[in-house]
């Protein structure tokens, strides 16, 4: 399988009134064709910036620094005009957090769907597309306005729109965060099964570790604008190498036993204004050593994962 | 339920909703009964529109029930504000709106004391500082404005303000939902510690079963304004009895459960019979016609005709 | 790590220079009106101080009117009158409107319905027409100009404050204060009022510009300020009579009126940008 | 009954209610305050003559009864007789109405034709610093210069160098359309300036806020051309607030024509009304204000109907 996405040492800053804020501080990630990759991180970790950078959709106050971002063999950074639109319309498909807000409130669903399909697509094509995303009642839904749909139905419509042009990669940014808990599972399942059926790669952004564990082959954990641990999902979650991954797993409620305690990570996530000179997680880390604050850790390969930590070698998991 | 600090007895809440030309009557709560004892945390879980926030507001006296009774500390709820100053408190959802943006943090924390008329100026300042320290903040933050604080810090301040009068009853409505995972855990542990220390009765409302299960002793599950299951936290670490509870569990644990796949139906709430029928994986004709009553099953109360799942139907 | 650059001086409108310039112009205009009696520009009401209908000269920088009064002095008197009349009227409307709007939004629903309905009714009179009606009833003069401006700007203020109050009243900190047992007055004055003040200020600024427009329109029609006092509108009315032979009489007050209203509007824009910042996101 | 039908019914009922309230307000204001009918007709007459006149006009009856009679006649199209000229008021208004409607219509058309394109364009290019400043200045200038100032300037310039336009002569449209336009364009332009400013500012603000919505970002992420996004999504959504402002502006026009008709000696309703006010001809004032308010309420109701067509969320069940 070929690399569909290749990101290496990508740096992105945002200009703000209070000066520059660094969103990506040397992020690296590769996605192969048809692969499902999870991107985990808290708000401010840079995962949304990374996702938007894939389609060159960053807001105007963003500044691309050093590093490379290749999608399907072309450098996204230099794309302009028709080539950029082609990347967005044919190579990539986006699914966003608020499904009702991403649909035009003044247009019926059928018209919005027809607009993203090939010219000449008729009502039958719209119906079959809706049926594909599990909407049985497609006549009624095609005639509906977005506000008349439930969040779950609207997200199915958005997924249909993202898949309409048969893209190579779907980028889903917290696709279930605004939905009711009881239907999150089915929306994720739908997304994963459709991607599998079309051979489409998936980049799934979430702060919900369980969702990532459920859906993705590989996971990239982000902190302070860097991908601090990248590896096979099951292995990373079973035996995390990076202390942040470990701490994150312990902090999420749900996996503890009755009467057990979850262990919060002390302190707050960092806001970087420039290149981090040490490890960004150092102030909150239980395993920190003197070197962590002084030297910037580089990526190393440990047990088939990429880990950015000074102590990665000593934390190597026991061989299976 | 004896010894309850707050008790709802068969509370119904109706209100008119929508514009004049599409006015509907909405049943926000139907026959809701629950009680919270001192030192106990009752979890209330359900998705948007389930009536959990309405129930919380009834407990706080912000909404008067259409029918049914609210009992506070053994007496019918006294809706005159003087009667309950300092006895009730709330921590709500939005960190960006939890504090008045025009007031110093310290002023906001001290406000319940000032309203209740407890202590002089010096005493108030001392208690504000102490309270900030107890929620893990530096007392110097009292001189800051809310916009200078992070979301997690603002929720800590909101908790400090809620507890400063030593209330008997505190409602936490989606108090951690807007926070990041690592900060969420800090606040959940803080709530647990403070309750063990201060012994107030707490109602913890959330759509996140995992968070509710972590802080609560007992859990009430609501759907479409009704209580569908009431169980101990211990029970819900295992398998829930109501299909809706199992749907929530499947979502939070992402487990495969044939009886837990709730549909995303277009008309979500049935007008007759069990309200979950259109979405329920194990619904039968009985469910479509007859409304299930809340009945005991072991140490659990459940409103379902088939609490044992598909296997139990045979 | 690099620190963001520090700003040592903060101007009221930050980097919004247009609003800053407008504010300075506004202050200068009002100062000119206030200090006019001390300046060596003549007495605005001295009939025959110079030749009649004189074009601008060294002695009379803006010429003289049909009674030989110096136009510069009359314009300075006029700008002050126009500004003061509309500001007083709008301040009355703002106070009444803010109180009505807040109470309507935060008390009983029936009161809210009543207040909103009356505001809607007042709003359904075209502004100048409402001014005409008021002067028709009260007889022309400053008092009816003030009444007209109050009635015209009040409904918009009520609407704006009501909407802002509804928005703030559902916020967490207001609900929490109510749970803690805060009195109605406390919630109103400590929590709602300070958080709607920005909106009131913006609306007041825009209302003042509308008020100046109304006052000068009524005076232009001869229904506002009566001689011998002069506002910019009444000066323009006189000027329009001599447009063929002495156009400078009309252009001075006209230009100044436009400048004053523009300054108030730009000042309002600056205020709005502070209260309700709207970031532009371009298409690419 | 469908929601749409019920929505229409409620709108119409509320318009009628507002109209009735306005009628009460006007009638009450004119009759309750000092300066009565007799004072206007026969200022220094002896008491018997005053009583006679009062009886003739029904002024000796209770106020409620007078109001009822007036309203009853007004609904049948009888607006009374002018106190000064003794001519029926309704006929006078009917004769002058087309002139005022023409000028107001022309002014609205100019405001939309100039304001909408400029506003949308400046909203779309809002990130360049010069554009917002220029559009603020142009829009602010248009909104700030009172129409009688513009009118005076136009009057001065064109009475000196006539340049095709005519001033002070009015040819009815039916007689000679070209000659009519030569007289109507200048007053219409003077009136339209405020409209241009209002429409420009509103269109700009609406465009900017629509551009910030998620569905625009989603459309861009689908690789749509900027022109397509503007045509399909921006214009439709930004049109809603523009309609509101045009409805408010046309209300202003009803008063604005008074001044411009005076200045340019146009024989419309405004001039008739101002003479009514100056002579305290209460029947004329009462009828004129009532007519204008009716027209304004009608316009607002129409605008509401238009939004409901453009924005399905309004007529529907008001979201979830």
């Amino acid at each position: 399988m070929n690399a569909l996405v290749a990101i290496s040492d990508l740096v992105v800053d945002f200009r703000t009134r209070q000066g520059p804020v660094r969103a990506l501080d040397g992020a690296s990630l590769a996605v192969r064709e048809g692969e499902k990759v999870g991107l985990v991180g808290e708000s401010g970790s840079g995962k949304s910036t990374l996702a938007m950078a894939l389609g060159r959709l960053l807001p105007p106050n963003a500044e691309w620094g050093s590093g490379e971002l290749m999608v399907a063999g072309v450098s996204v950074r230099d794309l302009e005009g028709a080539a950029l639109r082609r990347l967005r319309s044919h190579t990539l498909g986006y699914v966003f957090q608020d499904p009702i807000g991403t649909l035009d409130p003044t247009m019926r669903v059928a018209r919005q769907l027809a607009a993203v399909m090939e010219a000449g697509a008729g009502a039958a094509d719209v119906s079959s597309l809706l049926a594909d995303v599990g909407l049985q009642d497609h006549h009624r839904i095609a005639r509906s306005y977005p506000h008349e749909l439930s969040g779950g139905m609207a997200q199915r419509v958005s997924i249909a729109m993202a898949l309409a042009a048969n893209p190579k990669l779907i980028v889903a940014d917290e696709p279930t965060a605004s939905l009711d808990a009881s239907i999150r599972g089915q929306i994720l399942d739908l997304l994963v099964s459709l991607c599998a059926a079309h051979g489409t790669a998936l980049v799934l952004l979430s702060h919900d570790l369980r969702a990532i564990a459920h859906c993705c082959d590989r996971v990239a954990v982000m902190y302070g604008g860097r991908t601090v641990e990248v590896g096979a999902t099951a292995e990373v979650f079973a035996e995390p190498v990076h202390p942040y991954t470990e701490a994150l797993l312990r902090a999420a409620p749900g996996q503890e036993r009755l009467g057990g305690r979850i262990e919060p990570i002390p302190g707050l996530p960092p806001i970087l204004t420039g290149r981090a000179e040490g490890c960004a997680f150092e102030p909150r880390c239980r395993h920190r050593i003197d070197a962590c604050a002084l030297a910037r850790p580089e990526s190393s390969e440990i047990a088939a994962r990429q880990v950015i930590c000074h102590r990665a070698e000593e934390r190597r998991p026991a061989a299976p | 339920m004896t010894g309850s600090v707050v008790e709802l007895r068969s509370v119904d809440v109706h209100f008119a909703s929508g514009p004049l030309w599409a006015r509907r009557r909405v049943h926000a709560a139907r026959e809701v009964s629950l009680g919270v004892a001192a030192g106990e945390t009752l979890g209330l879980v359900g998705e948007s529109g389930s009536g959990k926030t309405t129930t919380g507001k009834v407990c706080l006296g912000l909404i008067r029930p259409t029918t049914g009774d609210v009992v506070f500390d053994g007496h019918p709820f006294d809706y005159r504000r003087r009667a309950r100053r300092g006895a009730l408190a709330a921590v709500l959802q939005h960190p960006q709106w939890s504090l008045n943006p025009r007031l110093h943090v310290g002023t906001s924390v001290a406000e319940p004391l000032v309203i209740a008329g407890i202590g002089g100026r010096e005493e108030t300042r001392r208690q504000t500082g102490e309270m900030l320290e107890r929620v893990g903040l530096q007392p110097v933050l009292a001189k800051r404005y809310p916009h200078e604080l992070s979301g997690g810090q603002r929720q800590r301040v909101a908790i400090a303000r809620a507890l400063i009068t030593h209330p008997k009853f505190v409602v936490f409505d989606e108090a951690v939902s807007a926070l990041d995972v690592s900060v969420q855990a800090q606040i959940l542990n803080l709530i647990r510690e403070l309750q063990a220390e201060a012994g107030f009765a707490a109602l913890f409302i959330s759509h996140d079963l995992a968070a509710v299960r972590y802080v609560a002793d007992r859990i009430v599950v609501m759907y479409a304004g009704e209580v569908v299951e009431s169980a101990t936290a211990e029970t819900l670490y295992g398998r829930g009895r109501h299909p809706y509870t199992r749907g929530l569990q499947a979502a939070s644990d992402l487990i495969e459960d044939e009886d837990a796949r709730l549909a995303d139906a277009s008309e979500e709430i049935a007008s007759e019979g069990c309200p979950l029928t259109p979405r329920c994986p194990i619904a039968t004709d009985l469910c479509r016609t007859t409304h299930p009553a809340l009945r005991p099953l072991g140490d659990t109360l459940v409103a379902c005709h088939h609490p044992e799942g598909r296997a139990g139907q045979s | 790590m690099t620190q963001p650059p520090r700003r040592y001086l903060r101007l009221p409108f930050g980097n919004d220079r247009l609003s800053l310039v407008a504010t300075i112009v506004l202050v200068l205009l009002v100062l000119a009106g206030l200090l006019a009696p001390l300046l060596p520009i003549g007495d605005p009401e001295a009939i025959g101080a110079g030749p009649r209908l004189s074009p601008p000269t060294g002695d009379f920088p803006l010429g003289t009117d049909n009674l030989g009064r110096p136009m510069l002095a009359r314009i300075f008197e006029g700008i002050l009158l126009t500004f003061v009349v509309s500001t007083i009227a709008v301040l009355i409307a703002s106070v009444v409107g803010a109180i009505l709007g807040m109470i309507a939004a935060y008390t009983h629903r029936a009161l809210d319905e009543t207040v909103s309905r009356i505001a809607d009714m007042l709003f359904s009179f075209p502004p100048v027409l409402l001014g005409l009606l008021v002067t028709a009833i009260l007889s022309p003069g400053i008092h009816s100009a003030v009444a007209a401006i109050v009635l015209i700007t009040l409904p918009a203020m009520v609407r704006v404050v009501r909407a802002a109050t509804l928005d703030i009243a559902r916020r967490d900190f207001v609900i929490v204060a109510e749970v803690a047992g805060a009195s109605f007055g406390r919630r109103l004055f400590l929590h709602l009022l300070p958080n709607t003040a920005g909106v009131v200020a913006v609306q007041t600024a825009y209302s003042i510009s509308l008020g100046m427009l109304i006052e000068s329109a009524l005076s232009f029609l001869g229904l506002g300020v009566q001689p011998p006092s002069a506002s910019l509108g009444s000066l323009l009315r006189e000027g329009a009579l001599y447009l063929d032979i002495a156009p400078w009489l009309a252009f001075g007050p006209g230009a100044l009126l436009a400048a004053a209203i523009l300054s108030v509007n730009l000042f309002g824009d600056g205020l709005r940008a502070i209260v309700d910042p709207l970031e532009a996101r371009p298409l690419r | 009954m469908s929601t749409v039908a019920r929505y229409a019914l409620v709108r119409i009922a509320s318009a009628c209610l507002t109209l009735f309230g306005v009628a009460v307000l006007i009638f009450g204001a004119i009759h309750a305050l000092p300066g009565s009918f007799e004072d206007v007709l026969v200022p220094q007459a002896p008491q018997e003559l005053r009583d006679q006149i009062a009886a003739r006009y029904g002024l000796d009856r209770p106020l409620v009864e007078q109001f009822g009679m007036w309203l009853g006649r007004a609904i049948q199209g009888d607006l009374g007789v002018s106190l000064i000229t003794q001519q029926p008021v309704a006929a006078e208004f009917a004769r002058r109405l087309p002139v005022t409607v023409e000028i107001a219509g022309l002014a609205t058309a100019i405001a939309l034709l100039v304001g909408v394109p400029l506003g949308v364009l400046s909203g779309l290019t809002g990130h360049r610093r010069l554009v917002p400043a220029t559009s603020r200045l142009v829009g602010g200038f248009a909104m700030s210069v009172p129409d009688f100032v513009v009118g005076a300037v136009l009057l001065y310039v064109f009475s000196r160098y006539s340049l095709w336009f005519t001033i002070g002569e009015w040819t009815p449209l039916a007689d000679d359309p070209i000659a009519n336009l030569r007289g109507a364009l200048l007053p219409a332009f003077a009136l339209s300036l405020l409209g241009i400013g209002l429409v420009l500012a509103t269109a700009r603000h609406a465009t900017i806020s629509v551009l910030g919505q998620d569905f625009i970002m989603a459309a861009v992420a689908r690789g749509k051309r900027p022109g397509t996004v503007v045509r399909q999504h921006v214009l439709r959504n930004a049109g809603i607030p523009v309609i509101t402002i045009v409805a408010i502006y046309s209300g202003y026009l009803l008063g604005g024509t008074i001044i411009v008709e005076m200045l340019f000696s146009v024989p419309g309703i405004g001039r008739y009304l101002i003479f009514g006010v100056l002579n305290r001809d209460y029947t004329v004032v009462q009828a004129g204000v009532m007519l204008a308010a009716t027209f304004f309420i009608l316009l607002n109701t129409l605008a509401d109907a238009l939004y409901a067509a453009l924005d399905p969320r309004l007529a529907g069940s008001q979201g979830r």
Side-chain angles (χ1 to χ4, degrees), chain A residues 107-266:
Chain A
M107 278 161 84
R108 292 182 198 276
V109 166
R111 228 179 108 191
Q112 305 197 43
L113 273 173
V116 297
M117 292 163 75
E118 300 288 318
D125 302 284
V126 168
S127 293
S128 77
L129 200 59
L130 287 174
D132 284 349
V133 291
L135 290 166
Q136 302 310 325
D137 198 4
H138 40 74
H139 286 297
R140 196 180 64 82
I141 288 173
R143 273 185 290 110
S144 299
Y145 286 104
H147 75 277
E148 294 165 343
L149 303 178
S150 72
M153 289 191 279
Q155 195 59 296
R156 285 172 193 267
V157 171
S158 299
I159 292 172
M161 289 175 85
L163 279 164
N166 234 331
K168 291 201 169 91
L169 172 68
I170 293 280
V171 182
D173 187 351
E174 302 271 10
T176 58
S178 68
L179 303 180
D180 282 329
S182 63
I183 56 167
R184 283 179 189 173
Q186 16 173 320
I187 295 294
L188 287 175
D189 287 349
L190 175 78
L191 199 56
V192 168
S193 64
L194 283 175
C195 284
H198 290 72
T200 311
L202 173 68
V203 171
L204 176 64
L205 281 70
S206 182
H207 62 265
D208 185 352
L209 302 173
R210 287 180 297 264
I212 298 281
H214 186 71
C215 300
C216 299
D217 314 324
R218 287 201 306 136
V219 63
V221 181
M222 293 197 69
Y223 192 83
R226 304 181 83 182
T227 37
V228 294
E229 181 162 4
V230 184
T233 314
E235 292 168 24
V236 170
F237 284 174
E239 273 187 286
V241 171
H242 199 284
Y244 175 65
T245 316
E246 180 189 290
L248 202 56
L249 285 166
R250 286 199 193 158
Q255 88 299 344
E256 82 289 347
R257 300 189 177 283
L258 175 68
R261 242 181 96 84
I262 52 177
E263 283 177 45
I265 310 174

Side-chain angles (χ1 to χ4, degrees), chain A residues 17-19 56-60 88 272-275, chain C residues 1-5 7 10 15 279-282 284:
Chain A
R17 256 169 208 246
Q18 287 77 39
R56 233 180 139 239
L57 288 165
L58 295 173
R88 288 172 180 167
L272 298 178
T273 52
R275 184 181 150 91
Chain C
M1 266 189 242
T2 49
Q3 285 294 318
R7 288 233 179 81
R10 283 217 166 192
N15 43 17
E279 281 287 322
R281 208 201 289 176
R284 282 169 313 131

Side-chain angles (χ1 to χ4, degrees), chain C residues 138-187:
Chain C
L138 294 183
S139 79
I142 290 185
H143 60 288
S144 50
V146 170
I149 297 171
V150 170
L151 283 179
I152 290 165
T153 52
L154 187 65
M157 180 63 77
V158 170
R159 280 186 174 188
V160 165
V161 173
R162 179 178 170 272
T165 307
L166 283 177
D167 182 49
I168 297 295
R170 67 191 173 83
R171 299 300 182 184
D172 291 358
F173 65 89
V174 183
I175 299 171
V176 168
E178 194 179 345
V179 170
S183 63
F184 178 74
R186 185 181 183 89
R187 278 175 276 151

